[in-house]
Amino acid sequence: MVFWIALFVVIFGFGPWAFLRLMHLTPSSAVFARLVAFTVMAAAASLWLRFLAPVPWGVNVWATWTGMILIWTAWIAVLALAALALRQADQGPAMRRWTGVIGAMGTTVPWFGLASARLMSS
């Protein structure tokens, strides 16, 4: 039970915090390139852990959690990339507010997948 509470706190605390920190960046092609590069590297590393690692995902708990964290951080980077692109297109205060709110809520989506999987397996 403590594990699930800690996971809840991390997902609902760190995810929105990391996203909102990324929203302080000024939208530019250099920022977009760095976010895309991070997303590709995190996804590639997770795929390597899943399919090519000597001790694959599912066999080693550390490889599994590391892969899941990499996917989640890539998800946060994709949300930030989309929000920054929208903010670059419309620089009004309403766009800043709504992209921040919706993006921060979007970082918690993986929690619902984990909770649903746990519910179905029990």
Side-chain angles (χ1 to χ4, degrees):
M1 184 66 173
V2 172
F3 169 76
W4 289 103
I5 292 171
L7 188 62
F8 177 87
V9 169
V10 167
I11 289 177
F12 280 84
F14 179 75
W17 177 81
F19 174 81
L20 292 173
R21 294 287 299 164
L22 289 171
M23 289 298 92
H24 290 292
L25 299 173
T26 303
S28 68
S29 58
V31 169
F32 293 147
R34 285 195 307 258
L35 282 171
V36 167
F38 174 79
T39 302
V40 168
M41 286 188 298
S46 179
L47 286 170
W48 180 83
L49 282 170
R50 176 69 176 106
F51 297 109
L52 301 174
V55 179
W57 180 336
V59 175
N60 183 331
V61 69
W62 293 109
T64 303
W65 280 103
T66 301
M68 288 173 47
I69 289 168
L70 286 168
I71 291 170
W72 184 51
T73 56
W75 169 247
I76 292 171
V78 166
L79 288 174
L81 183 64
L84 287 172
L86 288 170
R87 285 183 176 190
Q88 188 175 30
D90 180 2
Q91 298 176 0
M95 180 61 77
R96 291 188 58 82
R97 183 173 39 254
W98 283 108
T99 54
V101 169
I102 293 170
M105 287 188 317
T107 64
T108 63
V109 167
W111 168 261
F112 299 104
L114 288 171
S116 298
R118 183 167 187 252
L119 178 68
M120 287 183 209
S121 70
S122 60

